[in-house]
């Protein structure tokens, strides 16, 4: 089946630094990828929708200058958390919608970000 | 605005007992409902969707528009069913998903 990978799986960084998280669709092309955030014991909250070749669409309350999204190809989207602070510590999950099977969305394993 | 409610954070049942995970939604348009499952240390994966009207791993879910519900059911729980279950609502035709808070199902021997 279709696989979505994320790199890194976990990262620890100092406050004020920027962190980039990659989301890749390994055996299918994804025109649309989604970025979620999940706090402990809470649900997934959609942060933004990433469309290949165009600007991302951010959900209300999500700072686009804080969470930079780039969808440079049909298999790669990146999320950069800029000037990270401890409150940005969370589990970040991406998903990708199959270009052909547009009704199907596949999830990555997630990236645990800890900001000290 | 759309909303998905899963009232139970934890549901514990014995093996062989029936299971029902509750999900209610709020949406003014025509809803598309899904159940996702996350087994321990694994990624989120699609379990079933209401339009398919299929049974996956013995689970079924029927969309009840009158009660705005999409409860997940299985007649006989198995130990391997223990997992986190999320109900999700898709809106706008763009694959945007709104998730419920999830229910942890624990099947005990």
């Amino acid at each position: 089946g279709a696989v979505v990978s994320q790199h890194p799986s976990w990262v620890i960084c100092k406050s004020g630094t920027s962190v980039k998280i990659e989301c890749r669709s390994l055996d299918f092309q994804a025109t649309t990828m989604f970025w979620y955030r999940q706090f402990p014991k809470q649900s997934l909250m959609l942060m933004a929708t990433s469309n290949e070749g165009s600007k991302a669409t951010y959900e209300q309350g999500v700072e686009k200058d804080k969470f930079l999204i780039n969808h440079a190809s049909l298999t790669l989207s990146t999320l950069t958390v800029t000037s990270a602070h401890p409150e940005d510590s969370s589990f970040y999950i991406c998903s990708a919608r199959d270009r052909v099977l547009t009704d199907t969305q596949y999830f990555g394993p997630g990236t645990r970000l800890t900001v000290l | 605005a759309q909303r998905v409610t899963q009232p139970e954070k934890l549901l514990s049942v014995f093996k062989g007992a029936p299971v029902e995970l509750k999900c209610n939604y709020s949406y003014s348009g025509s809803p598309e409902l899904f159940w996702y499952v996350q087994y321990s240390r694994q990624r989120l994966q699609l379990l079933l969707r209401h339009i398919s009207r299929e049974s996956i791993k013995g689970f079924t879910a029927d969309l009840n528009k009158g009660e705005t519900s999409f409860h997940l059911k299985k007649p006989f729980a198995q130990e391997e069913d223990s997992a986190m279950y999320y109900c999700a609502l898709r809106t706008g035709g763009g694959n945007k998903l709104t998730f419920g808070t999830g229910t942890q199902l624990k099947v005990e021997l």
Side-chain angles (χ1 to χ4, degrees):
Chain A
V3 176
V4 173
S5 70
Q6 282 184 240
H7 178 79
S9 56
W10 61 270
V11 57
I12 301 173
C13 69
K14 292 182 179 179
S15 184
T17 60
S18 295
V19 175
K20 179 184 284 187
I21 302 171
E22 293 185 349
C23 177
R24 292 181 184 272
S25 56
L26 296 185
D27 50 4
F28 66 99
Q29 293 182 328
T31 51
T32 305
M33 291 184 173
F34 303 87
W35 286 97
Y36 296 85
R37 186 172 179 176
Q38 185 177 33
F39 290 103
K41 299 186 179 182
Q42 295 189 30
S43 186
L44 286 78
M45 298 297 295
L46 180 65
M47 298 174 64
T49 302
S50 169
N51 297 296
E52 187 266 337
S54 64
K55 291 183 179 180
T57 303
Y58 290 82
E59 295 300 300
Q60 190 174 10
V62 178
E63 299 176 60
K64 61 181 180 181
D65 295 329
K66 173 79 171 174
F67 299 99
L68 300 178
I69 291 173
N70 183 278
H71 194 154
S73 75
L74 287 172
T75 59
L76 173 64
S77 176
T78 60
L79 168 69
T80 301
V81 183
T82 63
S83 187
H85 290 285
E87 57 265 31
D88 298 324
S89 298
S90 190
F91 197 55
Y92 292 88
I93 302 171
C94 76
S95 70
R97 185 174 74 175
D98 191 313
R99 182 185 188 187
V100 175
L101 303 174
T102 57
D103 191 47
T104 308
Q105 194 175 143
Y106 302 96
F107 284 80
T111 296
R112 171 74 60 192
L113 170 63
T114 301
V115 184
L116 302 177
Chain B
Q2 62 273 13
R3 186 172 182 173
V4 178
T5 302
Q6 292 180 251
E8 304 142 326
K9 284 190 175 181
L10 173 65
L11 181 64
S12 186
V13 301
F14 286 106
K15 179 181 176 181
V19 174
E20 183 179 51
L21 301 172
K22 291 183 168 54
C23 171
N24 288 90
Y25 67 90
S26 174
Y27 180 53
S28 58
S30 182
E32 291 186 74
L33 277 299
F34 302 80
W35 276 100
Y36 281 84
V37 61
Q38 188 170 29
Y39 300 102
S40 180
R41 299 183 183 278
Q42 295 187 29
R43 68 190 66 197
L44 203 64
Q45 56 184 287
L46 178 66
L47 179 62
L48 53 80
R49 63 191 79 187
H50 91 269
I51 58 173
S52 299
R53 302 184 67 82
E54 57 195 346
S55 174
I56 303 293
K57 298 183 179 182
F59 285 97
T60 59
D62 292 318
L63 178 61
N64 186 322
K65 292 186 177 182
E67 296 182 358
T68 60
S69 68
F70 188 57
H71 303 327
L72 183 67
K73 300 177 182 179
K74 184 170 182 176
F76 308 104
Q78 301 300 313
E79 190 179 0
E80 56 266 28
D81 295 329
S82 295
M84 191 72 172
Y85 292 81
Y86 292 95
C87 182
L89 167 69
R90 186 167 74 181
T91 61
N95 236 7
K96 174 180 172 178
L97 292 173
T98 299
F99 285 88
T101 49
T103 298
Q104 180 73 47
L105 174 64
K106 184 178 180 182
V107 180
E108 299 182 78
L109 299 176

